Amino acid sequence: MATDPTRRAAVLVLRAAAAGLTATMGAVHLALWADGYRDLATIGSLFLLNGVLGCLLAVALLLTPYRRLAPVATVTALFTAGTLGALFLSLTTGLFGFEESADAELVRPTVVVEAVDVLVLTTLAVAALSHGHRRR
């Protein structure tokens, strides 16, 4: 079992990694929106919304007090998983009439960032939640 300072350091690393990955996801969506996705019906608005929410969630991951971190990490993990799911839908069956190509410039890096982010966020949520239960 890890000592409390070791556990806090691990959670700090997870928190920073999760915030960085979530901010990257948001930044990718904002960049794509600015590069022309804004002109796509429905998808354009969703890219803007995803970019803004991704950046806000990244800030929330950094600023949320430790005792409230588990729910924020959980919501962010679900949001990111939903974003990844939407990407897979757009690559396979299409989403709101839009079909993405696996050969598009940022598709592969986005899949990696979002998949790793879901794993890091889930680990962070479990670590923060288990720490809260241990202290009671």
Side-chain angles (χ1 to χ4, degrees):
M1 180 152 72
T3 63
D4 194 54
T6 302
R7 182 181 192 86
R8 286 197 176 273
V11 169
L12 183 61
V13 169
L14 286 169
R15 184 191 285 236
L21 289 162
T22 302
T24 299
M25 178 190 69
V28 165
H29 280 84
L30 289 174
L32 289 171
W33 178 82
D35 284 346
Y37 280 55
R38 69 174 164 245
D39 298 326
L40 300 171
T42 308
I43 293 294
S45 298
L46 292 174
F47 265 67
L48 178 59
L49 182 62
N50 188 289
V52 170
L53 288 175
C55 292
L56 290 174
L57 287 167
V59 170
L61 286 166
L62 292 174
L63 299 181
T64 298
Y66 186 80
R67 68 186 176 281
R68 300 193 193 280
L69 185 58
V72 173
T74 301
V75 166
T76 307
L78 292 170
F79 177 77
T80 305
T83 299
L84 185 58
L87 175 57
F88 280 118
L89 276 176
S90 73
L91 287 167
T92 55
T93 62
L95 185 64
F96 300 113
F98 176 74
E99 290 185 31
E100 184 64 85
S101 167
D103 296 325
E105 182 180 355
L106 293 175
V107 168
R108 288 183 180 95
T110 298
V111 168
V112 171
V113 165
E114 291 175 0
V116 170
D117 197 20
V118 170
L119 292 173
V120 170
L121 285 160
T122 301
T123 304
L124 177 61
V126 169
L129 186 62
S130 67
H131 181 71
H133 286 303
R134 270 187 34 219
R135 293 182 71 183
R136 291 181 187 168

